[in-house]
Amino acid sequence: RGLGVESKPELQRVLEHRRRNQLIRQKKEEEEAKKLQSPFEKELLKRHQRLDQLEKEQEKQEDHAPEFIKVKENLRRTSTVTGDEKAA
């Protein structure tokens, strides 16, 4: 055929080149988006991360609570929901 063992078909080279360019463009866009974040957006992101962390800690604490406490909390929730439904 006259093709070298390590040479790739033209279509494959073009596709790889496009993928590489697309990844480079995507990384540049992400970096620009990070640079353009206002201080307000950064603070919101920090607050969101803190809230997520607090929720995870609460879930861990609830997992270690005795079963009767969990049941009692569930009963309180259902009783307030049924009480609200009766009032409405």
Side-chain angles (χ1 to χ4, degrees):
R1 288 175 115 202
L3 294 176
V5 177
E6 295 185 21
S7 66
K8 297 179 182 179
E10 184 177 352
L11 179 61
Q12 188 175 2
R13 283 184 292 181
V14 170
L15 290 175
E16 288 177 357
H17 182 68
R18 285 186 183 177
R19 278 189 220 123
R20 194 175 22 223
N21 287 342
Q22 186 178 15
L23 287 174
I24 291 170
R25 255 188 269 120
Q26 187 177 13
K27 287 180 183 179
K28 285 182 182 178
E29 289 174 1
E30 289 175 0
E31 289 175 4
E32 289 177 10
K34 287 181 182 179
K35 289 179 183 177
L36 295 177
Q37 279 185 338
S38 68
F40 178 71
E41 290 174 333
K42 290 179 184 177
E43 197 62 36
L44 282 176
L45 182 62
K46 287 180 186 177
R47 183 172 289 187
H48 180 69
Q49 290 172 347
R50 264 188 274 140
L51 288 174
D52 285 343
Q53 185 179 9
L54 287 174
E55 288 177 1
K56 288 179 183 178
E57 289 176 5
Q58 286 178 351
E59 288 175 2
K60 287 181 182 178
Q61 289 175 356
E62 289 176 1
D63 290 343
H64 296 295
E67 186 67 27
F68 69 92
I69 293 176
K70 293 178 188 177
V71 171
K72 188 175 180 182
E73 289 175 0
N74 287 338
L75 287 174
R76 285 184 190 161
R77 290 181 193 144
T78 56
S79 65
T80 57
V81 169
T82 55
D84 292 340
E85 290 174 356
K86 290 178 182 176

